[in-house]
Amino acid sequence: MAEVTIQQAGPGVTVQDLGRPGFLAQGLSRGGAADRLALLEGAALLGQDSHLAAIEIAGSFLSITVPAPVRIALTGAPMRAFCDGDPLVWHASHALPAGARLKMSGSRGGYSYLHFGGGLGVAQVLGARSAHLGAGIGRMLEAGDRLPLGRERGSTTGMTFDPFDRFDGGLLRMVETPQTQLFPQAQRERFTETVFRKDARANRMGQRLANDGDGFGLQAGLSILSEAIVPGDIQITGDGAPFVLLSECQTTGGYPRIGTVLPCDLPRLLQAPASAALRFAFVTFEEAVALERAEANRRADLGKHLQPLIRDPHDMSDLLAYQLISGVTDGDDLERKGP
Amino acid sequence: MPLVRERQQEEGQPVIHPLGVDGLLIRFGARLCEAANRAALAFRAAVEAASPQGVAESSTSLTSVYLRFDPTCTDHAQLSSAIMPLLDSRDWYQADLPQGRRFWRVPAVFGTELAPQLSEAAAHAGLSPEQATKSICAAPLRVQAIGFAPGQPYLGELPPEWDIPRQTDLTPLVPEGALAVAIRQMVLFSVSTPTGWRHVGQTALRLFRPELDDPFLLRPGDEVLFIPVSREELETIRETNGSGGAVAERLC
């Protein structure tokens, strides 16, 4: 069976797929890729099923070798990627030759994804291949790990697309929680007027937010009986800082929640660099469902928006670097892009 | 809010809240009581049996039921209307406990370096460490909910003197199998975790074993009786018994 070998892996590099739905009653959250949209984009680029597993790189670095030719796609937070020293275009699919070494580093933060033709064939646990670090399923990848590849059924490479705009922060829409109305109106208004940034404290369970000025919270003494919590919930913890729950969050909790970020807007939080401004706005439940449905339709059509990786000569800064005149090329020049 | 059935929460009256873009929370009580806990367990079982269109999965917490739905199939108002007849079909607070419950005997070390907060917790309850251990082990505790972490039970209800608060600071890490107490409940930790609950006992239980066909040891409704053992006994159990020495009998 074909496999890839991890040569170097920084912290936060894991195998991820769409997670394990169906175990909430047993206390196990769904988990799976932090940015699910990136998984769908990778599947579209390789023309394969979105349930296949990929490697998630959480603001870290990774280098691998492949003994046999393999198709890959690069999605999520852009990194500098090199195949045997040649730069690779992000948000695109590529063919790696046998023996190739792929090196990836230097994202601005967020979650990057490396997809393989056929997906990763690592063993399933409870119906999924994703590591769930909080539940003790799987672990971070390390140098020397060898990951089997699943059965390759496609051949397309050299495709790209315009990714959904989510790499510069922006507005996060949210709905009310059962506790939203317990927060005084002035505080709810201040929350939606405040500019937040991502705090360094983050993992696959949640992202802490920071802001200038006062924190948030309910009057002391109000106790909330522990009940179901969901990814996107914005908990206000004891120190007044908002904490947005992510895919690997616990299944129940007793902290008051001021809002729940729409799933279709969570990628904008996940992929925001540390410096990006984040704001929140309430929408109604009807608006939220309509937005989710529109996003589900958009995601179902991702494959229709692929384009071949061809560059317009007008956009090329150094035309002479491309062997356009002789017609003699390595055959993959058009897949390369200057750093 | 453009809802469904939002009423002032009164005891003995379920309330439906939207929870996120793709969920509903049916809350049977804002405070923990045994009738609301039974109601939540029974209503969830009834929803599972009825499997209303669009429901993707369901769970219970102490006094509420969470329904996650597929927002491309249904929405809050539609699903709320769909479950209302079931919710109104009976007095859920009179429901029996679930079928298939089990009675577990679980060896545990109380106090020592393995569970360093026994004396502190006992003092909050106005008891000596010995009295505290005796009190915790005097009667079986019921699994009121599984949640937070995989297979993690909330056990209750302890006698009134155990209505002690959580500590304000977090204990950075308690090990798997730790038994901790607050607000007349006990929690058994399925993974090593930080917690605000006081660590009074240590078991060798493995509540979540993903490699097994049935990876979750306990179910809501199960009863657990703790059996005090020495540290040496627990170490022997840990080495020789994959399930931490827990022994189960069927209750019904």
Side-chain angles (χ1 to χ4, degrees):
Chain A
M1 190 188 285
E3 59 183 18
V4 298
T5 303
I6 308 291
Q7 300 294 336
Q8 284 183 299
V13 178
T14 55
V15 173
Q16 292 298 335
D17 56 16
L18 291 173
R20 296 175 182 76
F23 294 102
L24 288 180
Q26 280 84 31
L28 175 59
S29 57
R30 176 174 175 173
D35 182 359
R36 284 183 207 295
L37 172 57
L39 270 197
L40 306 187
E41 290 173 340
L45 281 168
L46 293 172
Q48 63 189 19
D49 192 284
S50 58
H51 289 85
L52 296 176
I55 296 180
E56 177 177 281
I57 306 154
S60 186
F61 61 89
L62 175 69
S63 80
I64 64 165
T65 51
V66 296
V70 63
R71 296 188 305 142
I72 62 158
L74 304 168
T75 67
M79 301 174 78
R80 287 192 298 276
F82 298 91
C83 174
D84 295 326
D86 294 330
L88 296 176
V89 178
W90 202 263
H91 304 304
S93 58
H94 305 278
L96 301 189
R101 184 181 183 112
L102 173 67
K103 294 181 82 164
M104 307 158 71
S105 63
S107 86
R108 295 163 68 209
Y111 294 83
S112 311
Y113 294 85
L114 168 61
H115 312 256
F116 298 92
L120 291 169
V122 299
Q124 292 200 359
V125 177
L126 300 176
R129 296 188 163 86
S130 45
H132 192 309
L133 302 177
I137 300 174
R139 59 169 173 79
M140 292 186 191
L141 297 180
E142 297 167 356
D145 285 343
R146 295 150 77 99
L147 307 175
L149 295 179
R151 192 174 143 211
E152 174 66 286
R153 294 161 197 272
S155 58
T156 312
T157 57
M159 301 301 282
T160 187
F161 67 106
D162 279 332
F164 181 68
D165 176 20
R166 60 188 189 279
F167 301 103
D168 294 295
L171 185 69
L172 305 174
R173 292 163 294 189
M174 56 180 178
V175 289
E176 295 196 349
T177 75
Q179 288 110 35
T180 300
Q181 294 294 329
L182 300 179
F183 289 86
Q185 188 181 351
Q187 191 170 152
R188 278 178 273 141
E189 286 172 1
R190 186 164 63 83
F191 190 83
T192 58
E193 288 158 4
T194 299
V195 174
F196 294 94
R197 287 190 169 72
K198 284 162 87 165
D199 187 279
R201 275 161 281 188
N203 57 27
R204 292 176 38 77
M205 284 186 178
Q207 170 70 56
R208 194 173 185 273
L209 300 179
N211 64 285
D212 296 333
D214 293 342
F216 298 85
L218 296 179
Q219 284 165 346
L222 184 70
S223 68
I224 291 162
L225 193 61
S226 179
E227 62 189 24
I229 56 177
V230 297
D233 275 356
I234 308 166
Q235 287 184 337
I236 305 296
T237 48
D239 64 1
F243 191 84
V244 186
L245 302 180
L246 301 179
S247 82
E248 228 172 69
C249 67
Q250 285 101 6
T251 62
T252 57
Y255 284 115
R257 292 158 288 155
I258 198 166
T260 306
V261 178
L262 271 50
C264 64
D265 283 359
L266 264 186
R268 200 171 287 132
L269 168 73
L270 292 159
Q271 300 295 18
S275 60
L278 296 163
R279 300 181 75 107
F280 294 89
F282 283 107
V283 296
T284 67
F285 287 96
E286 286 84 351
E287 287 167 331
V289 168
L291 288 164
E292 279 305 312
R293 287 176 179 173
E295 176 61 9
N297 288 334
R298 197 192 70 80
R299 291 182 180 189
D301 283 345
L302 280 180
K304 293 183 187 163
H305 301 286
L306 298 181
Q307 300 150 9
L309 253 183
I310 293 175
R311 303 188 67 211
D312 183 336
H314 294 293
D315 295 341
M316 296 181 180
S317 55
D318 183 9
L319 264 181
L320 291 177
Y322 295 82
Q323 299 180 42
L324 297 171
I325 298 163
S326 72
V328 179
T329 80
D330 292 340
D332 65 348
D333 298 54
L334 296 178
E335 295 184 26
R336 303 180 188 181
K337 185 179 178 182
Chain B
M1 242 185 322
L3 276 223
V4 299
R5 180 158 73 179
E6 283 258 42
R7 291 192 296 230
Q8 283 304 106
Q9 180 92 50
E10 296 165 23
E11 295 307 313
Q13 273 288 37
V15 180
I16 303 177
H17 286 285
L19 186 62
V21 177
D22 60 353
L24 291 180
L25 186 76
I26 300 92
R27 199 191 272 150
F28 289 88
R31 282 192 300 278
L32 180 57
C33 71
E34 138 127 24
N37 181 241
R38 277 189 283 107
L41 293 173
F43 183 68
R44 183 208 170 206
V47 171
E48 286 281 304
S51 60
Q53 200 193 354
V55 173
E57 78 176 296
S58 67
S59 65
T60 55
S61 50
L62 293 167
T63 61
S64 56
V65 176
Y66 170 59
L67 302 180
R68 181 172 68 82
F69 60 79
D70 177 353
T72 64
C73 294
T74 187
D75 61 25
H76 302 88
Q78 219 179 333
L79 182 58
S80 196
S81 306
I83 61 165
M84 208 82 84
L86 186 61
L87 193 57
D88 288 339
S89 68
R90 61 167 295 187
D91 181 356
W92 295 99
Y93 298 89
Q94 299 297 324
D96 294 330
L97 281 164
Q99 294 294 301
R101 297 182 300 120
R102 295 155 306 168
F103 176 76
W104 295 88
R105 285 184 175 79
V106 175
V109 173
F110 288 86
T112 78
E113 312 89 276
L114 290 187
Q117 291 175 296
L118 177 66
S119 302
E120 182 189 326
H124 277 274
L127 302 170
S128 71
E130 295 72 29
Q131 289 169 326
T133 304
K134 217 171 163 183
S135 167
I136 290 167
C137 299
L141 298 170
R142 184 177 308 139
V143 178
Q144 295 167 316
I146 298 282
F148 192 74
Q152 178 181 313
Y154 289 78
L155 298 156
E157 184 174 38
L158 287 169
E161 59 269 28
W162 284 105
D163 194 7
I164 67 173
R166 297 178 185 89
Q167 55 192 4
T168 42
D169 292 332
L170 289 183
T171 305
L173 217 54
V174 294
E176 182 181 2
L179 179 61
V181 66
I183 49 171
R184 297 183 70 180
Q185 286 184 307
M186 303 204 84
V187 165
L188 259 168
F189 289 102
S190 61
V191 292
S192 183
T193 184
T195 181
W197 295 44
R198 288 184 176 86
H199 183 190
V200 298
Q202 182 64 45
T203 72
L205 281 188
R206 295 193 54 210
L207 296 156
F208 175 52
R209 299 171 75 183
E211 70 279 10
L212 301 185
D213 287 340
D214 185 5
F216 304 97
L217 190 72
L218 300 177
R219 295 197 285 261
D222 283 0
E223 290 183 5
V224 178
L225 182 65
F226 291 104
I227 312 291
V229 297
S230 70
R231 197 174 167 171
E232 293 69 34
E233 284 172 292
L234 193 77
E235 290 311 324
T236 308
I237 288 166
R238 203 189 284 283
E239 282 159 24
T240 56
N241 187 312
S243 50
V247 180
E249 288 165 37
R250 284 186 74 80
L251 273 173
C252 59

